[in-house]
Amino acid sequence: MQPEQQLKASLKEIGDLKAALDEHAIVAITDPRGRITYVNDKFCAISQYSRDELIGQDHRVINSGHHPKEFIQDLWSTIGRGKVWKGEIKNRAKDGSFYWVDTTIVPFLNDDGKPRQYIAIRADITERKRTEDQLRASFKEINDLKAALDEHAIVAITDPQGKITYVNDKFCAISKYSRGELIGQDHRVINSAHHPKEFIQGLWSTIGRGKVWKGEIKNRAKDGSFYWVDTTIVPFLNDDGKPRQYVAIRADITERKKAEEKVLQLNAQLEQRVAERTAELEAFSYSISHDLRAPLRAMGGFARMLQEDFGAELPPEASRLLERIHVNAMKMGLLIDGLLAFSRLSRQPLNKSKISPGAVVNRVLEELQSETEGRNVKITVGNLPACQADATLLHQVFMNLISNALKYSRRRDPAIIEIGSGEENGHCVYSIKDNGAGFEMKYAHNLFGVFQRLHRAEQFEGTGVGLAIVRRIIHRHGGRIWAVAEPEKGATFHFTLEGENNHV
Amino acid sequence: MSNEAVEILLVEDSPDDVAFLVRTFNKANLTARLHVVADGKEALDYIFCTGDYATRNNGNQPKVIFLDMKMPKVGGLEVLRRLKSDPTTQSIPVVALSSSNEERDLIESYRYGVNSYIVKPMDFDQFAKTIRSMGQYWLELNQTPKL
């Protein structure tokens, strides 16, 4: 081949190589001072500058400001010394967006060894850089999460066979085992033997099927003490769906468990104590009802016998005194009866059903008919809405309140008694009003106490138990009772059967 | 011990109550054949002719037993249970006398087959009236199978 032809062939080959290079890479050529003398199409495309805007400029036109001064100095010092420089550079395109290029700069030298020009060949690595950044960010986030989790929870990881492959510091702290003592063991090392076999089997069968297991586990620490952990075990699966490893995250609930046990224990104790007290109270009132009555009956009885057998021989004053003994014995009998009735109320279970108070009042009025004989009594019964109550006990309430109204209005002509209802805070309020003796409101707080009386026995007989019984019944229904009165004008008793939380 | 048939057996440990009851039966002319025993054990000995009453003729059972429920050692309920579970004595009417109307005493007594349950009235006059009418009813009106 002729030298000319050879030259031609070489030039063609070089031209081909350049075309291939331009197809593949971002190419720029600068003079020794760094001024751009050539850019290929890919350079223009990525930098978004036209060739005209680039030729004659130096690379500062695409400087991103990302790299430190030293980086740039190192580049220039390397290629200035005729050495190839390789590195990753972040550049700025015309529209302000950034791109990364993997860069090789080859200096071409004069005969005197000074750089004649630099050829920079670059590959676009923007996408790779972005992925790397994202990966780095994800990795950092995972690390942050792990750090936070380790701070918060007791964490362990086991392999599919249950052998511990990882524990965090909190796991070591609560179990009192060192990491070295735990890794490679299975969880039997902290087994408390508290849970039945089925419990453990249930756990393994759940996570073995790839399902999350949650539960509370009692474990045993190295020193033999026990601790409770609220546990979530999450299985992580292979591509074939088999567990690859299990991550167990636990929270220490020992204190809560202790508190729960304490509450249960206290409840049991309380129930026991209530049962004991109730039994004592029952024995007490049983004893009262039998043992206190017998001597009373004897006292009254012997006074009576003395009167019957020797009355004729006794001076009238002696007979009068005997009568006083008899009357007082009877009175004490009534007091005992009242006390027993009152204490029985606490033991008797409530038997609630739907009741029509109107029917109850009518029955009470029938039973009290003898009280009104020979008296001018006007009784009106208004609308009495139905309620949920114990029939016997509600009867007792109306009986006591209406017979009180009759008793304290004994000196009125006519005695006026009004039985009716109203509403307060959405609850029905029943009321019994009389025009009788009434009382001073400043003594109202004594009204419902056991054996508390606001009138002397000579004025109005009574034991002072009736209203105490009424209040106890109403409280047991969850209701409230109160009275409004004025001396010599009368009294009104109001009550509800619901709306209060005063179980007695 | 007399082998004559008694009509009323009174089982009562309280001397006071015995005094009232005897006096009341007396006044109602019902004391002719009254026998008093002071506790449950003696009551059982009397009825089943054992112990101190081993020689008593058990063909002569009382027409009615007034039984105090609250007695030491063998209580009224136990006497009642023994009487009512024995075919030879179960048809003898038993009137329980109690100081109280405690519900559980009533329930137990009727479960064992008591024929009547009386709460001793606090008032003496009332007490006397009650006992008198009880005596008359069980001795004069009530019929029991011939043994």
Side-chain angles (χ1 to χ4, degrees), chain A residues 282-283 285-286 289-291 293-294 296-298 300-302 304-305 308-309 326 329-330 333 340 344 347, chain B residues 14-17 19-20 23 27 69-70 98-102 104-105 117 119-125 127:
Chain A
E282 260 176 56
S285 55
Y286 186 83
S289 66
H290 282 93
D291 300 343
R293 269 178 217 247
L296 272 179
R297 210 170 43 239
F302 285 118
R304 209 73 185 150
M305 281 160 65
E308 273 181 20
D309 294 354
H326 180 249
M330 291 306 105
L340 284 175
R344 208 170 283 149
R347 295 181 269 147
Chain B
S14 154
D16 294 335
D17 280 349
F20 298 146
R23 176 190 172 92
K27 292 210 165 184
M69 296 312 283
K70 195 159 186 275
S98 172
S99 290
S100 86
N101 61 347
E102 277 287 323
R104 59 174 165 160
D105 288 349
Y117 193 104
V119 177
K120 298 172 183 171
M122 285 300 295
D123 180 75
F124 177 74
D125 298 336
F127 195 4

Side-chain angles (χ1 to χ4, degrees), chain B residues 59-99:
Chain B
N60 292 329
Q61 293 291 25
K63 286 183 91 170
V64 62
I65 299 171
F66 284 87
L67 177 64
D68 182 35
M69 296 312 283
K70 195 159 186 275
M71 294 183 296
K73 291 192 277 191
V74 182
L77 270 182
E78 176 60 12
V79 174
L80 183 62
R81 190 186 66 78
R82 295 276 301 276
L83 273 176
K84 292 299 184 186
S85 59
D86 190 313
T88 66
T89 55
Q90 66 184 7
S91 57
I92 306 172
V94 177
V95 178
L97 297 175
S98 172
S99 290

Side-chain angles (χ1 to χ4, degrees), chain A residues 162-206:
Chain A
K163 291 258 185 303
I164 296 170
T165 56
Y166 169 85
V167 288
N168 71 351
D169 291 345
K170 285 179 96 77
F171 193 110
C172 296
I174 197 169
S175 70
K176 302 197 172 87
Y177 283 102
S178 71
R179 191 164 276 109
E181 290 171 311
L182 291 165
I183 302 292
Q185 300 292 317
D186 68 20
H187 274 81
R188 266 175 287 186
V189 73
I190 50 167
N191 184 2
S192 67
H194 169 81
H195 303 283
K197 219 181 198 171
E198 297 74 39
F199 179 86
I200 307 292
Q201 281 170 347
L203 185 161
W204 276 106
S205 118
T206 304

Side-chain angles (χ1 to χ4, degrees), chain A residues 27 29 37 45 56-57 98-99 120 142 153 156 182 189-190 307 333 343 374 393 397 464 468:
Chain A
V27 181
I29 303 177
T37 56
Q57 300 292 321
F98 294 102
Y99 62 92
I142 288 170
L182 291 165
V189 73
I190 50 167
Q307 180 69 35
S343 89
L393 295 180
V397 167

